[in-house]
Amino acid sequence: MAGLLEGKIAFVTGGAGGIGAATARAFAAEGAKVAVADLKNAETTVQAIVDAGGEAYAIALDVTDEAAVTAAVDGVVGKWGRLDIAFNNAGVSLEDFTTPWDSVALYDKVAAVNQRGVMLCMAAEVRHMTRQGSGSIVNTSSVAGMSGLSGPGYCASKHAVVGLTRSAAMRYAAEGIRVNCVCPGAISTPMTEGEALSEESRAFMAQMHPMNRMGRAEEIADGVVFLASDKASFITGHPLAIDGGYLAR
């Protein structure tokens, strides 16, 4: 039986680990060819896809570099002839609630990746999708993009992703391009499962959600696959919360 994304061409940023890697693998499992981009280690995800019988290749990419982003997206189209799906997932979190609000340099670093990086990727992607008259873009925001949960740079940048998503959805709806975003809650990744967070911190993050657990990267990937697929053909401009009920409180 054909997968939801059979024959589609997909581009994923932040694909070396966590949500990006899980989504790249899910795209491939549903039949897509996947270009996996990250600053480094994208080859690990690509190898997992190839080992499972899929087709993928790795791109070393800094999403804050406009020329590099354009070249990366052009390269996907040059290799496979089109771009059907883009998952703009690359992001950083460099703050916490104690971060002073005068940490402007830190704010700028977060905004450069989380906000400007998403805009640069979308600009490169829609240039090809408009020529095709079709395409689906999914961006990664956060529950912090729909609440005040986090430091100033992260929270503001994730709110901006929701705004960029809605703006692009309005602009390109008539040209056959859908643009949505996912808003994950606290997700269990190799970073949060390891020594980067104490047991107490992980317990705190779990209890934030009415389901009383952290989410799994694969659960976010399932949401992205749905939004990217034709099953979501009448959905655009939507921030999909995948948060164990966090925003329902």
Side-chain angles (χ1 to χ4, degrees):
M1 185 173 69
L4 282 176
L5 308 178
E6 196 67 37
K8 302 291 188 182
I9 306 301
F11 173 67
V12 176
T13 68
I19 292 169
T23 302
R25 294 193 302 268
F27 281 172
E30 292 292 345
K33 297 177 182 179
V34 189
V36 183
D38 212 318
L39 281 171
K40 58 182 180 180
N41 299 329
E43 294 85 359
T44 301
T45 302
V46 167
Q47 191 60 55
I49 290 171
V50 172
D51 288 347
E55 186 171 350
Y57 78 99
I59 305 171
L61 179 64
D62 176 355
V63 297
T64 69
D65 183 333
E66 182 176 2
V69 168
T70 299
V73 175
D74 288 353
V76 176
V77 176
K79 180 177 179 64
W80 285 324
R82 59 187 295 113
L83 178 65
D84 300 299
I85 298 164
F87 180 40
N88 300 315
N89 170 71
V92 295
S93 177
L94 305 176
E95 308 158 316
D96 58 33
F97 285 116
T98 66
T99 301
W101 271 62
D102 60 358
S103 302
V104 177
L106 197 59
Y107 178 98
D108 288 344
K109 288 181 181 179
V110 174
V113 178
N114 295 5
Q115 178 176 338
R116 187 173 182 272
V118 168
M119 185 274 290
L120 291 177
C121 287
M122 283 201 293
E125 293 151 6
V126 298
R127 185 162 49 84
H128 292 286
M129 290 178 175
T130 52
R131 292 171 184 164
Q132 299 166 187
S134 65
S136 178
I137 296 173
V138 183
N139 301 317
T140 298
S141 179
S142 166
V143 290
M146 301 177 74
S147 69
L149 177 72
S150 195
Y154 189 79
C155 193
S157 66
K158 292 303 186 178
H159 273 74
V161 170
V162 175
L164 287 167
T165 296
R166 287 172 167 160
S167 177
M170 291 290 289
R171 169 63 178 81
Y172 293 104
E175 299 186 52
I177 301 169
R178 296 185 300 104
V179 188
N180 295 288
C181 64
V182 288
C183 299
I187 305 303
S188 181
T189 65
M191 181 187 75
T192 57
E193 290 168 358
E195 295 180 358
L197 287 179
S198 67
E199 183 177 344
E200 292 77 13
S201 295
R202 291 194 295 273
F204 173 79
M205 294 174 77
Q207 65 81 39
M208 289 165 39
H209 313 92
M211 287 186 174
N212 199 34
R213 67 173 176 86
M214 296 171 68
R216 301 187 303 274
E218 290 76 14
E219 292 175 305
I220 310 304
D222 287 343
V224 178
V225 167
F226 167 69
L227 289 174
S229 77
D230 291 341
K231 293 291 186 181
S233 59
F234 200 54
I235 301 175
T236 195
H238 181 66
L240 176 63
I242 310 176
D243 65 351
Y246 173 84
L247 290 172
R249 287 188 185 275

